[in-house]
Amino acid sequence: MINYMEQHDKIYTMMKQCPYEILREWKLTKFEAGTVMFSQGDVQDNFYILVEGVADISVIGENGKKYVQSTYHKGDMIGELEIVDRLPFISNVEAVTDVKLMGLKREHFLKWLQLDRNFNEYFIRSILKLQYDILKKEGDNNLYPLHDRVCSYLLRCVPHGQKRADGIVIQIDKQQLSRQFAVTPRSINRILSELKKQRIIDLNKHEIMILDPMQLQLEERNSRS
């Protein structure tokens, strides 16, 4: 955990005042890409921090379709909503890439929350931000067209992408995007094809390359105006 703190600002901000008695209780768990790490309805006795990889948070609707609520990256918390009262997971958590989690037993988590004022404040702010993001996403789904929402999502992924000479690579494909917005792959394919034709993005089998982030941002603004 100390190594991850040194490598990532978000993890350091969260953990910088963690007491040693808590710090030594963390355990590392690894998952391969495609693994459903936690299922909707599961009751877990651990709190987790994602320290490597990317994970999707999703629910299965009555029609059987998967709806991705959020995508988590390094430094994001998993199980924070359920851990205090040992509630069942409200979503599925699936590894998009190979993933590593640092886990902490509930008893140690609750003690950390009491002992560490820095984490206590960080935890409260994170819960409030999560609620804000959920409400904002629901509002955007009602107010803005799909083209705008796809552009906006790709822009949010840019900071987590891999920089290359000709652009920024995002590890996501058309199928994942269709689940992200609960629409058909055909609808997503139409929008991506338009962006590719404008040379804003390029498409590979399991990734999207952002060729022109500035133009992508303009596309988002234009579709809102």
Side-chain angles (χ1 to χ4, degrees), residues 7 10 15 22 29 45 65-66 74 107 114 124 143 150 163 171 188 195 203 215 220 224:
Q7 295 167 9
K10 189 172 182 179
M15 302 286 303
I22 304 299
T29 308
D45 202 34
K65 287 187 176 181
K66 181 187 291 186
K74 187 181 292 187
E107 60 187 282
Q114 291 178 337
I124 292 171
L143 291 173
V150 170
K163 291 184 179 180
Q171 299 295 328
I188 293 295
L195 294 174
L203 302 173
Q215 190 60 38
E220 178 197 27
R224 292 196 177 199

Side-chain angles (χ1 to χ4, degrees), residues 36 38-41 56-70 89-94 175 178-180 182:
V36 177
F38 310 108
S39 297
Q40 199 171 332
D56 273 347
I57 312 301
S58 64
V59 294
I60 305 297
E62 293 181 1
N63 57 5
K65 287 187 176 181
K66 181 187 291 186
Y67 175 56
V68 177
Q69 299 171 301
S70 187
F89 265 64
I90 57 175
S91 308
N92 297 309
V93 185
E94 182 176 352
Q175 196 67 36
S178 70
R179 293 196 297 263
Q180 180 75 29

Side-chain angles (χ1 to χ4, degrees), residues 14-144:
M14 188 192 322
M15 302 286 303
K16 62 184 178 182
Q17 294 181 17
C18 181
Y20 179 72
E21 61 187 285
I22 304 299
L23 201 59
R24 66 186 182 184
E25 297 294 340
W26 291 91
K27 306 294 182 185
L28 182 68
T29 308
K30 302 176 184 179
F31 297 92
E32 293 183 355
T35 304
V36 177
M37 301 182 287
F38 310 108
S39 297
Q40 199 171 332
D42 282 354
V43 176
Q44 287 288 327
D45 202 34
N46 289 275
F47 165 81
Y48 296 95
I49 299 172
L50 198 161
V51 293
E52 286 188 31
V54 178
D56 273 347
I57 312 301
S58 64
V59 294
I60 305 297
E62 293 181 1
N63 57 5
K65 287 187 176 181
K66 181 187 291 186
Y67 175 56
V68 177
Q69 299 171 301
S70 187
T71 300
Y72 281 13
H73 300 88
K74 187 181 292 187
D76 286 331
M77 300 184 293
I78 296 175
E80 74 277 18
L81 297 177
E82 297 88 356
I83 187 67
V84 174
D85 291 323
R86 298 192 76 253
L87 299 172
F89 265 64
I90 57 175
S91 308
N92 297 309
V93 185
E94 182 176 352
V96 177
T97 65
D98 290 347
V99 161
K100 291 182 182 178
L101 303 179
M102 294 298 295
L104 187 67
K105 287 287 186 184
R106 179 176 176 271
E107 60 187 282
H108 302 306
F109 169 81
L110 294 176
K111 189 173 183 180
W112 181 27
L113 205 57
Q114 291 178 337
L115 295 176
D116 186 350
R117 181 176 177 180
N118 170 72
F119 175 67
N120 194 299
E121 293 176 356
Y122 182 95
F123 186 74
I124 292 171
R125 289 197 306 270
S126 297
I127 295 294
L128 293 175
K129 185 179 184 304
L130 178 62
Q131 181 66 21
Y132 176 88
D133 289 344
I134 290 171
L135 293 174
K136 185 177 185 302
K137 184 174 182 179
E138 289 179 355
D140 288 348
N141 288 345
N142 294 326
L143 291 173
Y144 300 117

